[in-house]
Amino acid sequence: KPMGEALLNMLTLVSRDPDEAGHAARVTVLSLQLADAVGASPPHIDALKVGGPLHDIGKLALDPDLLRKAGPLEPAELDQIRTHPERGAEMLIGDDKLQEAVVCVLHHHERWDGGGYPHGLAGEEIPVEARILAVADAYDAMTSQRPYCGPVSHDDAIVEVARCAGSHFDPDVAQAFVALRSVGQS
């Protein structure tokens, strides 16, 4: 598969949901800042540079009306949403230039306590770049307007990241994020 196919898919996703471009860019910037703060290795940083912008590419395989639905999702709809990491990884497999992004795309919804998806990985079973991306993705989701809810304040999102350290998030990554985003923020 040529790398252009993945980029075309991402452009298609952005054209369907213009907010996706801003989300992907913000998550990538936050992830790279956080990777630096936790001392991530160059290969992990490179994976985030490629995987950050593409982390939600699997949403292209979902019904656009489902992605824009206001209000809570039904259980079957939630099950569909939860397929986007695997669908995204499938879109990237076979493109040698994008292989480093696969771990970010596939595992960014895993949880430190094993309660995430798609594989229920826990703790250090989750690749470090996916643990970093998970915190940045959750923060941006909380502080951005979504079809199903309004944004929360920066301070409330920081409190939530701290609260979820050790359950949803790698406690060291969450602590580093809170420290990073608390300096000079309001």
Side-chain angles (χ1 to χ4, degrees):
K1 288 183 186 180
M3 186 161 94
E5 185 177 328
L7 297 177
L8 182 60
N9 285 340
M10 192 60 195
L11 289 173
T12 302
L13 177 61
V14 167
S15 71
R16 280 184 16 184
D17 181 2
D19 293 333
E20 184 61 37
H23 170 69
R26 289 187 303 271
V27 168
T28 301
V29 168
L30 289 171
S31 294
L32 292 172
Q33 291 171 348
L34 183 54
D36 186 54
V38 299
S41 70
H44 294 136
I45 292 169
D46 289 344
L48 287 165
K49 286 178 182 175
V50 180
L54 297 173
H55 75 278
D56 280 337
I57 196 168
K59 289 181 177 179
L60 185 60
L62 303 178
D63 179 352
D65 292 334
L66 178 61
L67 297 174
R68 290 189 295 264
K69 181 179 177 184
L73 297 173
E74 300 295 327
E77 293 170 328
L78 188 56
D79 288 344
Q80 287 178 46
I81 292 286
R82 288 182 173 168
T83 67
H84 85 270
E86 289 177 306
R87 289 177 172 208
E90 289 166 5
M91 290 177 186
L92 302 181
I93 290 174
D95 187 330
D96 293 340
K97 294 180 180 176
L98 298 175
Q99 289 313 290
E100 61 196 352
V102 172
V103 296
C104 294
V105 172
L106 184 60
H107 299 299
H108 72 280
H109 284 293
E110 300 288 358
R111 289 176 43 138
W112 186 255
D113 64 8
Y117 60 92
H119 298 122
L121 300 180
E124 293 186 5
E125 293 176 324
I126 305 165
V128 68
E129 52 268 65
R131 288 183 263 150
I132 291 168
L133 188 64
V135 174
D137 187 39
Y139 172 84
D140 188 70
M142 285 186 276
T143 58
S144 299
Q145 180 67 44
R146 298 297 192 155
Y148 49 86
C149 68
V152 302
S153 72
H154 164 79
D155 290 343
D156 287 346
I158 290 296
V159 167
E160 185 67 8
V161 169
R163 186 185 72 77
C164 293
S167 60
H168 196 109
F169 306 122
D170 175 327
D172 295 332
V173 173
Q175 180 180 12
F177 185 82
V178 169
L180 179 69
R181 299 300 294 172
S182 296
V183 175
Q185 297 292 314
S186 57

